[in-house]
Amino acid sequence: MGPAAMASRRHRICMIPGDGIGPEVVAQGVRTLEKACAAHAVALDIEEYEWGAKYYDRYGQMMPADALSVVESFDAIYFGAVGSLEVADHVAVWGLLMPIRKHLDLFVNVRPIRCFAGVKTMRTASPQDVDMVIIRENTEGEYANVGGRMYQGENEIAVQTSVFTRRGTARIIDYAFRHAAPERGVQSITKSNALAFSMTMWDEVTRDVSARYPDIPCERLHVDAAAYRMVIAPHTFHTMVASNLFGDILSDLGAGLLGSLGLAASANLNPDQSRGLFEPVHGSAPDIVGRGTANPVGAILSGAMMLEFLGEDEIANDLRGAVGQVLGRGLGTPDIGGACSTSELADEIIQALR
Ligand code: GGG
């Protein structure tokens, strides 16, 4: 009997490597996850779906018509990246990732930002004090995809409407409070001085939800001030809750604080229905496709978030420990000043697993 057959627990994973460097990082992610799981007699039954820009080239759509019913039958989804020079960006994103997030109602996007010892960052003083998580609303807001274009040429009009529901706003803010550490509180990101409808409701909901958590301090900040303070004083943030667009932008800023977008991991969750999609924060990076230099850490740590979601906390901690140890030794891909290839860095992480 092989190790997979002897597994005491099994999880069914839908793997969508996607476009660009997605397949390169997800392949190393899977190797690393499988190795970590094997040590705990856990098996991942992975089914791969080759959806994305190449699928679009053949069939004129990013994924098949039954894709949404396929993905919902799995315990979790492991995703690479979406985007290609051959398909318009909005067609690619709205043909693959966004429909899955919306269909599964993955309203929480968790993006942890924690610096690694050994990785050079722009900050010379105490990079280790960067320890925050961005809780991004993931199904509505500015990415509701409501609007249209009319006329052409100089008379063209484009309308892009944000949709903020009270229920959608309340559930993401409530998630942030439930997961916040009382000593550091929640920072609610707003822009209610300029967006006098959506963000004033966001502020009202923040105040109402916050009243149910009297032990957790809550601060409201405009997004521009938050962006500035994340650079100047990142240690003052812990649990940031933000709308879809603000959270998207601030989490890339956060990845910049880490030293590379390639290190940032994320989870797209519906905690009420136990659904999750896990993906590195970076996109498809067409400029480095096929070079073997993409950083696999974002994908590996997204896999750790997936294992935690599946109840495998110990394995997730093993993976995080191995990544921390390897980066701490100064090893890395070129984006963080190292000389390892994608697979060599994964090899080192696999070696470091206990
Ligand atoms: N792995 C993440 C990815 O491919 N991101 C592309 C992108 O721009 N996604 C839009 C979003 O995260 O809202």
Side-chain angles (χ1 to χ4, degrees), residues 25 29 78-79 116 260-266 278-282 294-305 323 327 335 345 349:
V25 295
Y78 191 44
F79 190 90
F116 298 93
S260 170
L261 195 52
L263 297 169
S266 80
F278 303 82
E279 55 172 338
V281 171
H282 65 72
N295 193 328
V297 167
I300 293 170
L301 292 178
S302 301
M305 294 177 88
V323 167
L327 296 179
D335 55 307
L345 191 58
I349 293 167

Side-chain angles (χ1 to χ4, degrees), residues 80-82 93 97-98 101 111 136 143 248 279-283:
V82 57
V93 168
L97 184 56
M98 295 301 192
R101 284 183 184 163
R111 296 184 159 192
R136 165 189 173 191
Y143 293 3
D248 195 1
E279 55 172 338
V281 171
H282 65 72

